Amino acid sequence: MPFTTIRPNSTNGSGGTTNTLTGGVGTRDGNTSDNSDLSYNTVASGGYTQVDFATFTLAAGAVGYKVVPRARMSGGGTPLISVYKGFTSFFPQATVGTPTGTITTFTGADGLCSLLQSDVDGIAMQWINASATPALVYEAYVDVYYALVPSAPTVAAPTGTITTTAAPTTSWTHVPGTDAQSGQTYYRVKMFSAAQYGVGGFSADTSPCTYDSGALVGSAASMTPATYGLLNGVSYKAYVQTAQTTGTVVTLGSPAQVQWSAWTAGPAFTISLAVPTPTSVSPANGDTLSNPAPTMNCSLTTMPSNFKMKREHQWATNAGFSTGVQTYLEPDSMLSTNPTTAYGWPNPTGPWLQPQGTWYYRVRAIDQSGVYGSYSAVSTVTVAHVPTTYAHTPAGGGTAAYTLTPTLSWSFSDPWSQDSQSKFQVQLWKASAPGTVLDSGLITSTSMFYQFTSGLDSTWKDTELRWKVLVQDSDGVSSGYSVEKSFYLSDRATVTITSPTAAQVITTSAPLFTWTTTGTRSRTQAQWKADINNVTLGTIVSSSGWQNGTTLQWQTPAPTILIGTNYSVTVTVVDSLGLSSSSTNAFTATYVSPTTAAFSADATLYPTKGLVTVDWSGATLDGSFYAWRLYRRPTGTAAWALLGEFASPTTRTYKDYLCPSQQSQDYAVVQVDMSFGVPTEGTYSPVAVVATALSYQLVCPSNDSLNLTLFAVTAENFGDEQEMASINLIGRGRRVEYGTNFGATGTITAAFKNDVTMTARAQRIALETLRASGQKVYLCNPFGDVFQIAITSAAITREAGTGLHEVATVSMGYSEITA
């Protein structure tokens, strides 16, 4: 390891006391730097001296490594020696010992450090004499050891043409500097393409590179990138830089230094990976394609370093690939280390492999660097997709409606879904006269129908006809004529609606519709449908839907028809020849009054039972019966009160316990029919009855077995309770306001005596049973009053002297129920 010895700079040091200067230039620094033992400094007891050293410049990149102090001394003292930067000690003081008078060269211990240039510039030396005997110092030296930067490494690889990898190994030899502490501690590798290192102003430190390992720790002499970053077919150079770490940190020294060498360029090398030639090409040689936009595929071997590839597909109409060339380069999304995914035709709208005929196909691979391989063997491929027709109408011996301008239609089909019709030709003739043919000629059109406008007359009706069609696709390839299709032209059958007739007025909401059909060629009805239309709204209100069979009538569901609406019925028939016909009749509807109910009203039992019996068992029941309704009103008045509505047709009697006495009452029994969706009443035929009561009656209409006749009422007192309030207005008198009429409250006094129909006891028990039933109770008196009451009390007073007959007097309180 090189070193340089520096001496004091011949000027007085930065400090010092108790010095005697003898000889020399007369300065402390001068005496210790003149390389002569004739001059020295005397350091007295307790004194010290300091000398400053000349400047020493480290070589570029060099790092100071250690400082060794030396001095020539004599005398009997025991001085201590230190090395300073300024006034700060680099090293601990070292005891020189006791010189014997002979000049002795003293060398201090190594001072390991890592000096920067600023550290070297400030070196000073100091002695301290701790003895009573003076010490003499003749000369002072400082040896500065330093490490030079390592030399540029020698790069041996990669070199030449590399055919096996895109991540080649770089190898080098580290050339160390003079640092005895360590060899290579870091390295860094960069790779530059020829285009990058060949530009003016190139710098391995700052110029863009293709690959950079970054600073890596270690003593390795080679490195292989973990992943490839180089392009196929491109020339490169590897640049290497190594480093050593110099110095050891001591008390006040600078930190250890990393010394990098200059960059060294290795030999030029070229990545030359073989791009494989495709095999197992698809479409294969000799294939016939019905799809002129085929998928394409091939097999490829994997490239070194797992290089990704895609493919370029090429088609042409000659084997030399000079005419009709279509080239398709797969997108980068198809890049793969081993492409196996079929490549679909890239242009949905064309161009395709047209015209039909012979085509030539080849494929080659291109790697991710843009380097192409060789083309595969050429496949000779035939493109052929012949069109056909189907869904010929009319056909199969079917029948079409007779016309002198029949229309024939078909559908176009091709193995290739993108193909289309460009031309057609249709021929039509009688089966009995095959030589007479109506021919459309070859027409350029995509239409898939043709209407003959001349050449037919009535002799073409009801006779077997035949036709065929030829089409051409977009390439002009012909389908050839289709198989002959037979059919007939016949008049449609006649449909006549027999019920309802035109403009008929019907009287039912669910009419029965009937019709007839007639036609030639022994046809029969195969399907039918009847629709009822609301003419005003233009809507269908009911429909049978399509029905199969020969049935010539339809019973509509009820209710369907309403009064006051204009209707029509349309009957559509499909006959056994497949022809449809229809007919429409308009109609309206009106009500039919229900049958008047015959009945009787009998008040015979009213005096004893308090009831009028209404009987209509002889009434005639209608087919559209809905209910019976029973009404009552005072004779001579207009408003009827409904006593009940009975939905059962077998209900034919009614007991009226609430008929007022001493008054003439009219009864009416009315039959209600469901007509056109609504209940409709028949005619009212009143029957008048006068019911005369001789007794008070307690009536329970919901259970007439609880009814009770009070045979001997001896007294009744009652009052009519009216809600009112009297208000005195100052200076204006009194005003009365009326509110709710709560009805009558009263007391009836009656005698319970043995009667021919009930004993006195039975009458009392009947009263108690009626009260306990919780049923509605009505009070009917002989004066024509009938109102609902609550029996509020019943006080019984038995009479003496009647034995076991329990003759009694009852005082019954009651209140009219008005709410």
Side-chain angles (χ1 to χ4, degrees):
M1 177 177 291
F3 71 92
T4 295
T5 299
I6 57 175
R7 299 167 66 86
N9 58 13
S10 302
T11 62
N12 280 316
S14 299
T17 61
T18 317
N19 290 283
T20 300
L21 305 180
T22 304
V25 296
T27 66
R28 291 183 300 243
D29 294 14
N31 285 345
T32 53
S33 66
D34 60 5
N35 201 24
S36 172
D37 291 339
L38 298 178
S39 58
Y40 56 86
N41 294 329
T42 300
V43 184
S45 172
Y48 75 94
T49 187
Q50 176 179 315
V51 294
D52 298 327
F53 284 77
T55 299
F56 163 63
T57 302
L58 292 170
V63 174
Y65 180 63
K66 66 179 179 178
V67 174
V68 179
R70 292 187 293 124
R72 289 172 59 78
M73 306 177 70
S74 67
T78 309
L80 302 176
I81 184 171
S82 297
V83 176
Y84 279 74
K85 175 180 181 279
F87 291 102
T88 303
S89 176
F90 271 149
F91 309 109
Q93 294 177 341
T95 301
V96 173
T98 303
T100 61
T102 303
I103 299 175
T104 302
T105 299
F106 168 75
T107 300
D110 290 349
L112 297 178
C113 62
S114 181
L115 297 174
L116 300 177
Q117 183 66 53
S118 59
D119 298 321
V120 176
D121 291 344
I123 288 178
M125 186 180 292
Q126 177 178 287
W127 300 269
I128 298 175
N129 188 0
S131 171
T133 304
L136 306 178
V137 181
Y138 299 90
E139 303 294 335
Y141 314 91
V142 174
D143 297 326
V144 179
Y145 290 80
Y146 53 89
L148 299 175
V149 297
S151 299
T154 301
V155 181
T159 184
T161 300
I162 298 176
T163 61
T164 59
T165 180
T169 298
T170 301
S171 60
W172 63 88
T173 300
H174 173 66
V175 182
T178 57
D179 184 5
Q181 297 296 306
S182 64
Q184 173 185 305
T185 55
Y186 292 90
Y187 62 92
R188 185 174 187 178
V189 177
K190 290 185 178 182
M191 291 187 181
F192 295 88
S193 67
Q196 291 171 328
Y197 66 70
V199 298
F202 169 76
S203 168
D205 274 319
T206 60
S207 293
C209 63
T210 300
Y211 172 81
D212 185 353
S213 70
L216 302 176
V217 177
S219 59
S222 65
M223 189 215 67
T224 303
T227 57
Y228 64 83
L230 307 185
L231 299 178
N232 196 16
V234 177
S235 294
Y236 296 91
K237 284 184 181 180
Y239 283 71
V240 181
Q241 182 184 36
T242 60
Q244 64 189 23
T245 302
T246 304
T248 302
V249 176
V250 293
T251 305
L252 294 173
S254 300
Q257 301 294 306
V258 176
Q259 293 176 284
W260 282 96
S261 72
W263 287 95
T264 297
F269 65 94
T270 301
I271 302 297
S272 183
L273 306 180
V275 179
T277 300
T279 60
S280 301
V281 173
S282 175
N285 188 49
D287 282 353
T288 297
L289 306 178
S290 61
N291 184 353
T295 57
M296 297 161 279
N297 209 343
C298 64
S299 295
L300 293 168
T301 59
T302 304
M303 292 181 67
S305 297
N306 286 327
F307 244 53
K308 293 182 179 180
M309 296 172 284
K310 59 182 182 178
R311 297 159 295 191
E312 179 189 81
H313 307 269
Q314 194 169 67
W315 294 85
T317 54
N318 70 331
F321 286 81
S322 60
T323 60
V325 177
Q326 296 184 39
T327 301
Y328 302 110
L329 179 63
E330 293 177 353
D332 286 346
S333 60
M334 298 284 286
L335 280 170
S336 171
T337 57
N338 185 14
T340 57
T341 302
Y343 182 54
W345 196 259
N347 298 322
T349 59
W352 302 287
L353 301 179
Q354 292 177 291
Q356 298 178 55
T358 301
W359 283 81
Y360 300 89
Y361 169 64
R362 63 184 182 181
V363 60
R364 62 177 176 174
I366 177 175
D367 70 13
Q368 64 193 51
S369 300
V371 177
Y372 284 91
S374 299
Y375 277 111
S376 66
V378 175
S379 294
T380 302
V381 178
T382 299
V383 177
H385 45 95
V386 179
T388 58
T389 57
Y390 68 100
H392 304 86
T393 303
T399 302
Y402 170 69
T403 174
L404 295 180
T405 58
T407 298
L408 310 177
S409 65
W410 60 92
S411 292
F412 175 88
S413 177
D414 193 279
W416 179 44
S417 61
Q418 298 295 321
D419 207 351
S420 60
Q421 174 184 295
S422 63
K423 296 180 181 180
F424 70 84
Q425 185 171 2
V426 179
Q427 292 183 347
L428 172 66
W429 65 94
K430 294 179 182 179
S432 59
T436 303
V437 176
L438 301 182
D439 194 332
S440 68
L442 190 61
I443 298 174
T444 300
S445 174
T446 59
S447 298
M448 284 175 275
F449 65 89
Y450 180 73
Q451 184 177 33
F452 285 95
T453 57
S454 63
L456 283 81
D457 55 31
S458 60
T459 64
W460 291 67
K461 181 167 62 173
D462 292 327
T463 186
E464 183 182 2
L465 307 179
R466 294 186 179 182
W467 71 283
K468 60 185 178 180
V469 60
L470 169 152
V471 296
Q472 292 183 5
D473 66 9
S474 57
D475 293 330
V477 175
S478 173
S479 66
Y481 276 108
S482 63
V483 176
E484 297 176 4
K485 308 297 178 183
S486 66
F487 72 101
Y488 293 82
L489 292 174
S490 296
D491 288 328
R492 298 181 185 274
T494 300
V495 178
T496 303
I497 299 174
T498 56
S499 177
T501 58
Q504 180 179 343
V505 178
I506 65 174
T507 59
T508 174
S509 62
L512 174 68
F513 295 103
T514 61
W515 62 90
T516 61
T517 63
T518 58
T520 60
R521 294 177 57 202
S522 303
R523 73 185 75 181
T524 58
Q525 176 181 284
Q527 288 182 297
W528 60 272
K529 179 168 73 79
D531 295 325
I532 301 176
N533 311 292
N534 184 319
V535 176
T536 304
L537 299 179
T539 59
I540 297 177
V541 297
S542 185
S543 176
S544 67
W546 281 106
Q547 306 292 323
N548 295 323
T550 58
T551 299
L552 299 176
Q553 65 179 23
W554 177 47
Q555 175 62 60
T556 59
T560 300
I561 307 303
L562 301 177
I563 296 298
T565 302
N566 294 323
Y567 292 96
S568 68
V569 59
T570 298
V571 177
T572 304
V573 171
V574 177
D575 61 30
S576 55
L577 298 180
L579 297 180
S580 64
S581 307
S582 65
S583 180
T584 300
N585 277 0
F587 65 93
T588 55
T590 188
Y591 288 113
V592 174
S593 179
T595 303
T596 301
F599 71 99
S600 64
D602 183 6
T604 304
L605 295 178
Y606 194 88
T608 58
K609 298 293 185 180
L611 64 89
V612 175
T613 302
V614 182
D615 187 307
W616 60 95
S617 57
T620 301
L621 188 69
D622 288 345
S624 56
F625 171 83
Y626 176 75
W628 304 109
R629 288 178 182 168
L630 174 62
Y631 294 95
R632 186 185 67 208
R633 70 180 179 185
T635 301
T637 62
W640 290 94
L642 178 65
L643 299 184
E645 179 174 291
F646 314 102
S648 173
T650 60
T651 300
R652 297 298 184 103
T653 60
Y654 182 79
K655 295 178 181 180
D656 184 10
Y657 287 97
L658 303 181
C659 178
S661 67
Q662 316 301 336
Q663 302 177 23
S664 178
Q665 298 286 319
D666 291 341
Y667 286 90
V669 176
V670 180
Q671 183 169 197
V672 182
D673 290 351
M674 182 59 68
S675 181
F676 300 98
V678 295
T680 304
E681 290 186 338
T683 304
Y684 287 55
S685 298
V687 173
V689 172
V690 176
T692 301
L694 302 178
S695 305
Y696 283 78
Q697 300 279 345
L698 296 177
V699 177
C700 179
S702 60
N703 186 356
D704 60 4
S705 66
L706 299 177
N707 293 357
L708 176 62
T709 300
L710 302 177
F711 296 102
V713 174
T714 59
E716 179 186 16
N717 62 82
F718 63 90
D720 188 21
E721 185 178 355
Q722 175 76 43
E723 184 180 29
M724 63 180 63
S726 178
I727 303 173
N728 294 326
L729 302 177
I730 298 176
R732 296 178 59 185
R734 177 183 297 146
R735 185 177 72 190
V736 177
E737 293 184 352
Y738 294 91
T740 303
N741 187 331
F742 294 118
T745 59
T747 303
I748 295 176
T749 302
F752 285 162
K753 298 179 180 180
N754 291 337
D755 187 77
V756 294
T757 58
M758 296 183 71
T759 65
R761 180 174 178 79
Q763 294 175 56
R764 182 179 69 78
I765 293 174
L767 177 61
E768 294 174 353
T769 302
L770 178 61
R771 290 187 65 194
S773 70
Q775 305 293 315
K776 288 183 179 180
V777 178
Y778 287 82
L779 175 63
C780 303
N781 62 35
F783 314 107
D785 300 321
V786 179
F787 49 87
Q788 184 181 354
I789 66 169
I791 301 175
T792 58
S793 64
I796 304 296
T797 303
R798 291 193 178 98
E799 294 184 13
T802 61
L804 299 178
H805 295 288
E806 200 177 2
V807 174
T809 300
V810 59
S811 178
M812 183 185 74
Y814 68 86
S815 296
E816 182 180 358
I817 296 175
T818 58

